[in-house]
Structure formats: structure tokens, C-alpha cells
Amino acid sequence: MACMTSSPHHILGIDIGGSGIKGAPVDLSTGALTGSRIRIPTPKKSTPKACASVVAQIVEQFSAQIGDSPVGVTVPAPVVHGVVPMMANLDPAWVGVDAEKLFSDQLGRQVVLVNDADAAGLAEVRYGAAQGRRGVVIVTTLGTGIGTALINDGVLVPNTELGHLEIAGFDAETRASAAAKAREKLSYQRWSKRLQIYYSAVEKLFWPDLFVVGGGVSASHERFLPLLKLQTPIVPAMLLNQAGIVGAAAVVAARYPLAEAEGAARGVRASDPALWDTPK
Ligand code: BGC
């Protein structure tokens, strides 16, 4: 029987963002980082290959801790069965690429790729502001873009992409993201008017039980969340800029429910029909 050299509960999560690629091992029983976070700037030409090389450097730094276990990696784009069908904020070379396979091949280990907001959403539901909440939770991340995660009774509906809702002829994230605030030098007051329009539109379509607001700017939540008038309670994220890392690691465990131990290390997917034949 193959044996993982790391604790099965400590999984490396890596978050690929527009400006930095960050990673740390995560204790999945608590959601806490178990090593100091490494951050390397995102390559200027942010192709999948260039980003995978940076991810490989981060993996290398933690190799003693994580052994041959799979690694979770977020991308700021939808991920449909490993393939990135569109890319708003990194190099367009990602489009149409089976990036999960490319990363797994380039790193020589299983990589699970997940949308950044979906990862953050799962992290908030498991360990943060939406812990234990039943019903529909929408986690939004306000950063370069607007990311969204839709979670019902703890179950994620992936790739919702509500940051690209078209509102009054605009792609919503181009008006209401934190980047739009910075670009147009909007005060919190002015920006909150745009957030009001955005969250009202999402509320009208989904009637969620809770909004959770993440992204770096959520550290200043008291400057804009109290200005919003919504029927849905809206609260700041708790994991702040660690949510992507923690969620990426959590997604590995979700993908490999049986395989925390030997299967994942050997590259068997939980959904792999071969698992049915695996003798106990
Ligand atoms: C992307 C999403 C991503 C969000 C936050 C959007 O532009 O389309 O997939 O979650 O930015 O990074």
C-alpha cells in the first residue's frame, strides 16, 4: 500500500491572482495555515505555463511538508472539468486550455484547479463567516474583478460568474470591483452606490439568505457595508486574503474524499471508475 509522507489533513493551497501567487499548507481540520505564506509576483506575461512555473517554485518550498499529496490551485476564471473557458484578468492564452492537466503534468503531481471565488466561498462556509449557515449563501470577492460563489446548504454550485452580470449595459465588475474604485478614484460613498446597484440586482435574482463580502477591501468593510440597504444580511468575510489558499486546499479534500491517503498520491480521481475496482 502506498503511503503519503505528509499528514493527510495538511494540504497545500495556492491562489493565483492578478498581482501575486500565494501559497501555504493548510490544516483542513481547522482551516489554519500551518506554514508561513509564500508570495511571488504573478509573471508579467501570465500564461498558464508561466504561472505553473511559479506554482512549482512554491510547491518546491513546501515539498518536505506535503510529500506527494495533491495540491489545490485557484485561478481567477471559471474551471469546467479542468478547462478554463474564458479569462478576464490574466493572459488570454488560458482560454480553452485544460489547465488542470497542464499544471499536473508540469508539476509531476495531481493538481486540482478551482475558480478563486468558489474556493473562497467554500472556505467561508467551512471555516469563516458562513460557517454552519443553511440555505443560499452568496460569497462575493471584490478585487481586480468580482468573483462569486453560490452555496446552498453547504453545497457549491460552481462557476456562477455573477461578477459579469450585465447591468445597464455594463459588465458589472468593470463598474463595481475594488479595481474600478481605485481606477476611478471613487470615495467609499460613491463606490457604495455602485455596490448598492450590484447587490440589489443579485438579490432580485437569487434571494439569498446571506451575502459574504471578501477580497482585500473587505478589511475596510465598515466604510461601505453599513451604507448598503438590502433585504439580505451582508457580512464581511472572515478569512480575508487567506480564503483562496484555504479554499484551494479544501477543494482537494472534496475532490479526493476517499483518497486522502494512497489513492490521490497515485493520481486516482475520486470520480475515476477505476475506484470501483480497487480492492479494499
Ligand atoms: C472572473 C471570475 C473570478 C473573478 C475574481 C472575474 O473576472 O471571471 O472567474 O472569480 O474575476 O477574480
Side-chain angles (χ1 to χ4, degrees):
M1 191 198 231
C3 195
M4 279 206 341
T5 47
S6 63
S7 157
H9 295 298
H10 292 202
I11 296 288
L12 181 60
I14 298 181
D15 190 19
I16 301 183
S19 57
I21 302 185
K22 297 152 275 179
V26 177
D27 178 350
L28 290 178
S29 58
T30 60
L33 305 192
T34 62
S36 22
R37 196 181 76 130
I38 292 182
R39 181 185 188 280
I40 299 179
T42 308
K44 284 232 152 37
K45 188 143 179 57
S46 52
T47 59
K49 272 194 183 159
C51 291
S53 309
V54 173
V55 166
Q57 286 176 49
I58 297 177
V59 171
E60 182 57 36
Q61 301 285 318
F62 292 109
S63 58
Q65 255 170 292
I66 63 165
D68 51 5
S69 57
V71 167
V73 177
T74 75
V75 284
V79 181
V80 184
H81 309 298
V83 177
V84 173
M86 59 156 275
M87 178 56 84
N89 296 312
L90 291 181
D91 195 281
W94 285 81
V95 176
V97 171
D98 186 340
E100 190 170 87
K101 182 169 183 313
L102 183 145
F103 273 59
S104 299
D105 291 348
Q106 204 164 320
L107 270 73
R109 71 168 68 223
Q110 273 321 114
V111 172
V112 177
L113 215 64
V114 60
N115 171 259
D116 55 1
D118 282 346
L122 276 181
E124 291 297 333
V125 165
R126 274 200 174 196
Y127 311 106
Q131 199 176 4
R133 289 294 291 245
R134 296 194 68 80
V136 175
V137 176
I138 295 185
V139 178
T140 57
T141 60
L142 302 175
T144 310
I146 297 181
T148 59
L150 175 67
I151 295 143
N152 185 37
D153 286 347
V155 178
L156 173 76
V157 178
N159 299 319
T160 44
E161 293 296 324
L162 302 179
H164 296 294
L165 273 184
E166 188 180 317
I167 302 178
F170 291 100
D171 180 347
E173 75 172 22
T174 65
R175 309 293 290 165
S177 64
K181 175 183 185 303
R183 195 172 50 241
E184 297 183 47
K185 300 190 176 54
L186 301 175
S187 63
Y188 280 101
Q189 182 85 29
R190 290 281 304 276
W191 185 47
S192 73
K193 296 207 158 77
R194 297 199 184 170
L195 292 176
Q196 177 71 51
I197 292 170
Y198 177 67
Y199 285 103
S200 298
V202 176
E203 181 173 65
K204 253 192 232 153
L205 292 172
F206 292 92
W207 299 105
D209 294 287
L210 179 69
F211 281 123
V212 177
V213 181
V217 74
S218 65
S220 312
H221 60 91
E222 68 297 330
R223 305 193 63 184
F224 60 96
L225 289 189
L227 305 178
L228 302 180
K229 307 259 170 300
L230 297 160
Q231 298 192 37
T232 313
I234 185 161
V235 298
M238 272 171 64
L239 287 113
L240 299 176
N241 58 1
Q242 283 179 17
I245 293 176
V246 175
V251 166
V252 172
R255 172 80 71 86
Y256 295 101
L258 310 173
E260 282 176 334
E262 8 91 71
R266 284 188 279 113
V268 180
R269 287 189 181 197
S271 56
D272 190 331
L275 275 179
W276 291 108
D277 304 327
T278 309
K280 286 237 157 146

